[in-house]
Amino acid sequence: MDVSHLIDPDRGLIRGEIFHSQAIYEQELEQIFARSWIFLAHDKMLPQPGDFIQNYIGEDPVLVVRQPDGSVRAFLNQCRHRGMRICRADRGNARNFMCSFHGWNYGLDGDVINIPHGEAIYDAVERAEFRATPVRLANYKGFIFGTWDAAAPAFEDYLGDFAWYFDAYIDRYEGGLEVVGMHKWVLPANWKFNAEQPASDMYHGEVSHASAFQVMVPPPKDAHSPPPDWAMRQLGQLSNPSGFQFASPYGHGNGWFAGGMPTMNETIYRWQEATAAQVAARLGPERVLSAGHANIFPNFMMLSNYTFRVTHPRGPNEMEIWAWSMAPVAAPAEVKEAIRLDLLRTFSPAGMFEQDDAVNWEEEQRILRGHMARKAPLIYKQMLGRARYDADGLPGRTVPHVYAEEGARGMYRHYMDMMSGAPWPDLTRRKQQREDAERRALAAQGQPPAKPDA
Ligand code: FES
Ligand code: FE
């Protein structure tokens, strides 16, 4: 199905049909999820040989397994006999995996190692034919991504300029990150409503999360004192929307406030303040601030409070969210605990911000049952035509405002490219040509003004 009549990133218009249609959803599983790099695990989730976790590429269950030699492999968690799930546990440690239907046994690498009565009932067991379907993997600073597509670009190329921003989330401190908490839940809304938000929508925070932010301001010392200064300064960030948004040709997006992302958690705030100079020396001053909210296309999100999450597609009208709290290994124990509790209070299923967001997404989805609602183009025009390249010390394509929709336009432009079904080498070439043409035009015309009235 051609979706190009539903998406017009140049004019900032997208029709709601892409969030509702079953046919488009099926095409997403084939053209988006089966061909993109999908987050599967972090090294710290698999410390020992035999450690495994189950994750998903779209709706395909995948087993990610630490091998005896320390490497990691992943394969489709589907028995080659009748398609039962090879391993039914979400995580654990195993010496091998036995399918609970007829007892085929798979090694940690996905090869079949025993078939009950195999020699009596099969002429031959061809290793390549009988092994579980392998996933192509990449490991970027401990973050393990997988794809089915042998022709997809190397993961570093897929990240492109976003690698610089990704490091601001995952490589702020020596020693990297470790998992301190996890939550899973299901929401009746399309996966893209979630994915586009960290890529592009800081705009909703001031309104959708207004009451949650107010409630989270720590109480004053007594009835006659004002709330703490540090917390009021954090709150003030929301009404001072100077900042930036980044958009990648591969659909990744990032947005951040120039004054830093607000936190209402005093333990985290104090620790960030105490380590600010150290982090600035490691990352450089522009990059320190660039950790706001981001999405690696299609469905891996990161938030400035050390939340990392995937939104698994579960039909056009449902998503399943998995959120990990990952704290810097270098942080003291009380900061790690504060980070764990911060996810619980903000972006877990019981979290205040998450519930605000869920109300919006569920209502958007419900409205799309209507005929006119699906046809009417939704407006994604914020900071349209204001993109610059390599400006303000920031790599890649950015706009100089945190309230912008450049990230979403970039995401849906790439979405449209992928949904066309064009093979990866053609897509990569087309993206490079598009970027070269834009850079040439900007060099000829000069950078666009930072504000519509400038
Ligand atoms: Fe797995 Fe038969 S389905 S052994
Ligand atoms: Fe939100």
Side-chain angles (χ1 to χ4, degrees):
M1 176 176 180
D2 179 15
V3 297
S4 59
H5 63 293
L6 302 173
I7 301 170
D8 187 348
D10 290 334
R11 292 198 302 146
L13 296 172
I14 292 170
R15 292 181 201 274
E17 188 69 30
I18 66 162
F19 302 104
H20 174 83
S21 153
Q22 183 70 37
I24 288 175
Y25 177 75
E26 299 298 334
Q27 193 168 327
E28 287 174 351
L29 293 183
E30 181 184 357
Q31 301 297 350
I32 306 279
F33 285 93
R35 300 205 297 150
S36 299
W37 284 102
I38 306 293
F39 174 74
L40 292 178
H42 187 275
D43 267 335
K44 296 278 173 46
M45 299 172 189
L46 307 162
Q48 300 298 328
D51 284 351
F52 67 89
I53 74 160
Q54 183 167 206
N55 206 331
Y56 285 87
I57 294 180
E59 300 240 31
D60 288 317
V62 165
L63 266 186
V64 191
V65 190
R66 179 73 66 188
Q67 303 296 303
D69 67 359
S71 64
V72 172
R73 293 201 192 197
F75 46 89
L76 182 63
N77 190 11
Q78 182 197 35
C79 180
R80 296 301 306 277
H81 181 222
R82 284 295 175 281
M84 174 62 173
R85 209 177 281 261
I86 295 169
C87 173
R88 296 166 72 188
D90 283 348
R91 56 180 294 203
N93 183 277
R95 279 179 293 179
N96 49 60
F97 302 102
M98 191 191 77
C99 174
S100 57
F101 197 164
H102 309 91
W104 283 26
N105 211 282
Y106 294 81
L108 297 177
D109 57 1
D111 275 353
V112 171
I113 53 176
N114 186 51
I115 295 179
H117 310 288
E119 284 176 13
I121 52 183
Y122 292 104
D123 285 339
V125 174
E126 291 294 337
R127 182 174 170 268
E129 186 186 2
F130 281 61
R131 73 196 277 223
T133 309
V135 183
R136 177 184 168 199
L137 293 181
N139 186 326
Y140 183 84
K141 300 192 177 185
F143 285 76
I144 300 164
F145 288 76
T147 180
W148 301 119
D149 194 334
F155 185 68
E156 268 80 0
D157 296 335
Y158 182 74
L159 280 184
D161 288 322
F162 185 75
W164 190 87
Y165 301 94
F166 195 15
D167 287 353
Y169 292 88
I170 65 171
D171 197 19
R172 295 176 81 81
Y173 298 92
E174 187 69 37
L177 301 171
E178 65 184 35
V179 180
V180 293
M182 193 208 181
H183 306 270
K184 295 180 179 179
W185 66 103
V186 171
L187 274 182
N190 187 276
W191 66 273
K192 296 186 291 301
F193 283 134
N194 187 357
E196 71 164 46
Q197 200 152 291
S200 198
D201 186 351
M202 217 66 94
Y203 187 47
H204 74 287
E206 194 180 8
V207 175
S208 286
H209 301 312
S211 50
F213 269 113
Q214 294 288 345
V215 169
M216 292 172 87
V217 172
K221 276 203 278 314
D222 54 58
H224 309 292
S225 306
D229 262 5
W230 72 267
M232 295 315 287
R233 279 200 307 277
Q234 295 290 295
L235 204 55
Q237 280 297 106
L238 286 178
S239 45
N240 172 26
S242 63
F244 296 91
Q245 204 169 86
F246 162 84
S248 148
Y250 293 95
H252 324 314
N254 186 30
W256 65 100
F257 289 90
M261 290 296 289
T263 174
M264 289 294 134
N265 186 314
E266 187 166 6
T267 306
I268 297 175
Y269 172 80
R270 297 283 174 215
W271 187 64
Q272 285 178 342
E273 198 179 42
T275 57
Q278 173 197 337
V279 177
R282 186 177 176 84
L283 295 176
E286 290 92 358
R287 188 148 57 152
V288 170
L289 294 169
S290 75
H293 289 179
N295 184 51
I296 293 181
F297 187 88
N299 66 337
F300 182 57
M301 287 146 251
M302 56 210 81
L303 311 175
S304 57
N305 71 343
Y306 299 100
T307 296
F308 296 84
R309 63 195 250 169
V310 288
T311 177
H312 291 304
R314 293 291 179 261
N317 302 307
E318 190 169 284
M319 66 176 109
E320 183 173 327
I321 301 171
W322 294 15
W324 292 269
S325 197
M326 298 189 71
V329 171
E334 68 271 19
V335 172
K336 289 178 184 167
E337 178 62 0
I339 287 170
R340 187 183 73 81
L341 292 175
D342 200 59
L343 169 58
L344 203 69
R345 291 176 184 136
T346 55
F347 292 104
S348 78
M352 283 184 269
F353 296 147
E354 192 63 32
Q355 294 189 38
D356 296 335
D357 290 330
V359 167
N360 293 331
W361 299 333
E362 290 179 29
E363 201 59 27
E364 286 173 295
Q365 198 69 39
R366 206 171 287 128
I367 289 165
L368 286 174
R369 291 181 197 164
H371 172 78
M372 285 308 287
R374 276 180 245 159
K375 303 288 173 234
L378 305 173
I379 297 165
Y380 289 71
K381 290 179 188 272
Q382 289 171 18
M383 296 296 284
L384 185 64
R386 308 277 159 199
R388 304 104 58 87
Y389 282 93
D390 302 335
D392 304 299
L394 303 168
R397 182 187 176 95
T398 56
V399 290
H401 207 292
V402 69
Y403 294 164
E405 284 158 349
E406 191 65 24
R409 288 190 293 270
M411 173 176 150
Y412 288 115
R413 187 186 298 280
H414 177 61
Y415 173 91
M416 202 163 67
D417 286 349
M418 296 294 286
M419 289 289 270
S420 75
W424 264 113
D426 291 354
L427 291 177
T428 312
R429 191 169 47 249
R430 205 183 300 161
K431 286 172 190 300
Q432 194 57 55
Q433 286 167 350
R434 193 187 288 148
E435 181 173 327
D436 290 347
E438 280 175 352
R439 283 178 182 270
R440 273 197 306 276
L442 284 176
Q445 298 157 12
Q447 302 275 29
K451 290 183 185 155
D453 57 355

